[in-house]
Amino acid sequence: MNINDITIRLENKNDHRKVEELVRTSFWNVYRPGCSEHYVIHVLRDDPAFVRELDFVVEKDGSLIGQNMFMKTVIEADDGRNIDVLTMGPICIANDLKRRGYGKLLLDFSLEKAAELGFGAVLFEGNIGFYGKSGFDYSSRFGIRYHDLPEDADSSFFLCKELKKGYLDGVTGVYQTPQGYYVDDSDVEEFDRGFPYMEKKKLPTQIF
Ligand SMILES: CC(C)(COP(=O)(O)OP(=O)(O)OC[C@H]1O[C@@H](n2cnc3c(N)ncnc32)[C@H](O)[C@@H]1OP(=O)(O)O)[C@@H](O)C(=O)NCCC(=O)NCCS
């Protein structure tokens, strides 16, 4: 689809390396010195939980400037049911084009497509400042807890949006991050050696 001056389309095999380069430069030194997201996306594309129909890239003037992807996972409900949901990310926009509205366009487009495919809710870790504008709220308000997080810990990083109104009505339980997101630092290091050198920096804003 074309919105303003960008095109959002499904990722194809020829995009893979360019997308990994984009993800690497976009996440570099944001949450930790260096980053692992380019390796995570590399691994997740082959994961059975990966949703190929929701693997989007953004093009502008012939260049890839953004990407977003989704994975299937479950909420382990307190009543014993497994509730199918989606999780999302990595999502990114190229450094020189951040804060121009492209991220929100990509996010809203992706969520609309996820809803069209019949998915009921999306949950993940993120900043309410960005995701709140697209209808996300704290997962705690839906009665959904983050796996392995002590009850009194701050869970404001853990967000949720229903794609079908009322999908989580009557559901309380624990959200599980798909296993594919957990990668070994040593595998990240090795994968990263195949990319141009960038300096790792320790910054006060990083969370890890
Ligand atoms: C997060 C990201 C995808 C947002 O894309 P973007 O194109 O820069 O965002 P938009 O311009 O569409 O932002 C829309 C609104 O969301 C809010 N917002 C955007 N980025 C934000 C941030 N990092 N923190 C808080 N609020 C943010 C702002 O209110 C913004 O509107 P404003 O610029 O008029 O104030 C992009 O900044 C990025 O690639 N970041 C690095 C990778 C990353 O952290 N990905 C998310 C992992 S959870």
Side-chain angles (χ1 to χ4, degrees), residues 26-27 30-31 91-93 97-105 125-127 129-131 133:
S26 185
F27 277 86
V30 174
Y31 297 103
I91 176 173
C92 78
I93 293 294
L97 293 170
K98 285 185 167 77
R99 301 304 280 257
R100 297 195 195 180
Y102 295 130
K104 185 168 181 344
L105 285 175
E125 308 87 343
N127 183 330
F130 175 57
Y131 297 105
K133 296 194 166 165

Side-chain angles (χ1 to χ4, degrees), residues 70-200:
F70 292 79
M71 298 276 288
K72 292 178 193 164
T73 188
V74 293
I75 294 168
E76 291 174 357
D78 295 329
D79 61 9
R81 289 178 294 162
N82 271 353
I83 309 294
D84 291 329
V85 292
L86 286 175
T87 189
M88 200 193 85
I91 176 173
C92 78
I93 293 294
N95 286 339
D96 55 340
L97 293 170
K98 285 185 167 77
R99 301 304 280 257
R100 297 195 195 180
Y102 295 130
K104 185 168 181 344
L105 285 175
L106 171 61
L107 175 63
D108 291 346
F109 176 82
S110 317
L111 293 170
E112 202 181 300
K113 291 293 162 196
E116 281 173 22
L117 288 179
F119 292 102
V122 188
L123 299 92
F124 56 83
E125 308 87 343
N127 183 330
I128 194 76
F130 175 57
Y131 297 105
K133 296 194 166 165
S134 292
F136 281 84
D137 202 342
Y138 301 114
S139 296
S140 56
R141 298 223 169 121
F142 292 85
I144 312 300
R145 309 182 298 280
Y146 193 75
H147 56 90
D148 303 325
L149 196 70
E151 243 174 59
D152 54 349
D154 176 16
S155 67
S156 59
F157 66 89
F158 179 40
L159 309 179
C160 176
K161 178 182 163 94
E162 284 183 335
L163 299 175
K164 280 184 195 159
K165 201 169 161 25
Y167 185 73
L168 296 175
D169 283 0
V171 177
T172 60
V174 178
Y175 159 87
Q176 295 296 341
T177 298
Q179 282 305 311
Y181 281 96
Y182 298 103
V183 291
D184 274 354
D185 282 350
S186 56
D187 294 337
V188 175
E189 287 298 317
E190 192 181 327
F191 183 68
D192 195 63
R193 278 197 278 279
F195 292 79
Y197 173 79
M198 289 202 293
E199 189 186 351
K200 286 185 185 174

